[in-house]
Amino acid sequence: MSEGEFIPVNEPLLDGNEAKYLAECIRTGWISSEGPFVRQFEERFAARVGRKHGVAVVNGSMALEAAVAALGIGPGDEVILPTFTIISCAAAVVRAGAKPVVVDCDPRTWNMPTDQVAACITPRTKAIMVVHIFGLPVEMTPLLALSRKFGLRVIEDAAEMHGQTYRGRPCGSFGDISTFSFYPNKHVTTGEGGMLVTDDAKLAERCRSLRNLCFKPEERFVHEELGWNLRMTNMQAALGVAQLERLDEFVTIKRRMGARYTGLLTGTRGIQLPVAKTDYADNIYWVYGLVLDDAMPFDAKEAMARLARLGVGTRPFFWPMHEQPVFKRMGLFAGQSHPVAERIARRGFYVPSGLGVTDKQVQRSAQAIKDVCNGL
Ligand SMILES: Cc1ncc(COP(=O)(O)O)c(C=O)c1O
């Protein structure tokens, strides 16, 4: 890309073995979900996050739906999750007929705080859906203690956490079921795709069945339960295998990019930068997020419009679940306020931080951010 061109918020890196493995699918005719790359991807990805089983599916949203269904969560159950997340999390709970109970987020890490989760536990609570946000994991130790104390299931949404660890243990290794997304803005992409991982053979089998319309092995077209067709194709898995080979390199690229932004932006007036490090993890910068101080005379929408005029792509932060029109219409979250999420949803956005972003682009983006913050 030349100097003045628009800098996209994300571009994947596909210059490893992706083309070679894809060509193999076409050459061999294995393009459906029956092909060998699917198993390979499942085994290698699960091993990478220290789990016994991997079940590849069509995307991260459906991985969550299948996780909720596999754990038998349904009407009468409550699931605690953060309000600051993608709608897929709450949608999976609502579609299962259960009640989503949301908590606010921490103003620094943007992750769900343990004390708020503890305060939401009732006799109906069945699970905690832990969602790691933007590159830093949730503080897991106290949450896991809570789940043990109250006998709660843990669904860990590690969609944004490929290659991240919590106190040295891979993200994706903490849930009864943990889920991932392979959308192109993720460290490992398959175009569209997702994965459930677990150590429980029975749960894995259940996820496989739900993925495949709950066909019965012995009587194929007789169904005891309703599943979905969530099968990942061999072509997607081929991409996944190639991408996974480079995960360590990708994490290094992202960390370098995040440190570069922070170096360039530290001291800029009016913005909060991502937390680089906590005592349990170093940020992997799934995205490089910024939050405008209250003193700044414009909000994220305006900042994003100004950055677009300077050729810099951005995306807004998540819009909180308790403020979603679709859920309000259903009578959910009535009268609730979660001020941190409400604030960062209005004042937060993220800047070009995909794997394909060059150092020059980071420099240009950082300069544009400074100019916008300085009102130039
Ligand atoms: C935390 C989180 N969960 C779930 C998803 C959904 O994944 P997908 O886009 O693959 O459906 C995303 C997507 O970005 C996400 O960030």
Side-chain angles (χ1 to χ4, degrees):
M1 174 178 282
S2 70
E3 264 304 286
E5 275 179 64
F6 192 81
I7 306 173
V9 79
N10 177 64
E11 269 182 310
L13 278 185
L14 300 168
D15 52 354
N17 283 322
E18 288 81 358
K20 183 176 155 202
Y21 296 166
L22 263 180
E24 194 174 317
C25 297
I26 293 166
R27 188 174 46 76
T28 59
W30 283 114
I31 57 171
S32 79
S33 57
E34 299 288 314
F37 279 120
V38 178
R39 255 292 189 227
Q40 230 181 73
F41 186 40
E42 288 178 339
E43 283 169 11
R44 290 185 191 177
F45 196 89
R48 171 69 205 230
V49 295
R51 303 311 294 261
K52 291 194 180 124
H53 310 279
V55 181
V57 292
V58 287
N59 55 53
S61 303
M62 292 312 293
L64 287 165
E65 303 260 345
V68 168
L71 290 170
I73 293 166
D77 296 332
E78 293 177 359
V79 177
I80 302 171
L81 70 156
T83 194
F84 187 68
T85 184
I86 192 162
I87 195 151
S88 317
C89 303
V93 175
V94 171
R95 267 200 279 259
K99 183 179 165 194
V101 175
V102 295
V103 296
D104 205 351
C105 59
D106 179 272
R108 282 180 66 250
T109 64
W110 309 323
N111 271 316
M112 63 201 295
T114 312
D115 55 338
Q116 292 194 25
V117 173
C120 288
I121 295 172
T122 76
R124 288 177 299 281
T125 308
K126 181 91 181 253
I128 304 171
M129 186 182 278
V130 174
V131 189
H132 308 294
I133 296 291
F134 290 179
L136 268 184
V138 167
E139 174 66 284
M140 290 303 301
T141 309
L143 273 188
L144 292 172
L146 271 185
S147 78
R148 273 193 302 272
K149 181 168 171 199
F150 292 96
L152 307 177
R153 298 292 215 156
V154 174
I155 299 171
E156 180 191 12
D157 181 352
E160 305 172 359
M161 291 294 131
H162 308 187
Q164 180 58 294
T165 55
Y166 170 82
R167 297 192 192 279
R169 228 181 101 178
C171 290
S173 68
F174 294 98
D176 290 287
I177 301 180
S178 303
T179 62
F180 287 88
S181 160
F182 304 119
Y183 188 71
N185 61 4
K186 305 302 186 301
H187 291 183
V188 168
T189 183
T190 58
E192 297 283 355
M195 180 104 59
L196 301 106
V197 294
T198 181
D199 291 328
D200 182 324
K202 277 211 178 89
L203 273 181
E205 212 28 63
R206 195 155 158 64
C207 292
R208 286 185 202 287
S209 176
L210 287 164
R211 167 179 72 175
N212 197 24
L213 292 165
C214 293
F215 283 124
K216 278 168 78 174
E218 61 286 6
E219 281 179 299
R220 186 166 175 80
F221 291 108
V222 178
H223 301 262
E224 303 277 357
E225 281 185 273
L226 292 181
W228 298 271
N229 176 353
L230 307 178
R231 303 185 300 261
M232 176 184 271
T233 68
N234 201 46
M235 296 179 288
Q236 291 167 304
L239 279 183
V241 170
Q243 290 264 293
L244 188 57
E245 289 171 353
R246 301 176 68 188
L247 179 53
D248 289 334
E249 178 195 343
F250 290 166
V251 170
T252 303
I253 291 173
K254 286 283 214 168
R255 286 206 166 117
R256 194 187 310 134
M257 179 269 308
R260 186 80 166 119
Y261 265 123
T262 298
L264 292 165
L265 291 173
T266 296
T268 305
R269 75 180 192 116
I271 48 168
Q272 175 191 341
L273 308 181
V275 173
K277 193 178 172 58
T278 63
D279 62 343
Y280 49 82
D282 291 353
N283 206 324
I284 53 164
Y285 304 100
W286 171 59
V287 293
Y288 195 88
L290 300 170
V291 178
L292 295 165
D293 290 350
D294 290 334
M296 291 298 267
F298 48 83
D299 63 6
K301 242 188 202 158
E302 177 58 28
M304 289 162 62
R306 292 184 193 187
L307 284 167
R309 286 200 288 278
L310 295 173
V312 176
T314 57
R315 289 281 184 282
F317 272 17
F318 295 127
W319 196 252
M321 292 306 102
H322 69 283
E323 294 197 283
Q324 295 291 344
V326 61
F327 293 143
K328 282 190 177 173
R329 275 203 308 277
M330 293 176 175
L332 290 167
F333 314 124
Q336 289 191 25
S337 167
H338 300 286
V340 179
E342 287 163 24
R343 177 175 175 273
I344 67 174
R346 286 159 179 82
R347 303 199 72 79
F349 60 95
Y350 62 89
V351 294
S353 34
L355 284 164
V357 72
T358 64
D359 189 59
K360 267 216 169 76
Q361 290 173 329
V362 170
Q363 288 183 52
R364 249 190 66 206
S365 299
Q367 189 54 52
I369 295 160
K370 284 189 196 173
D371 289 349
V372 166
C373 287
N374 290 324
L376 298 177

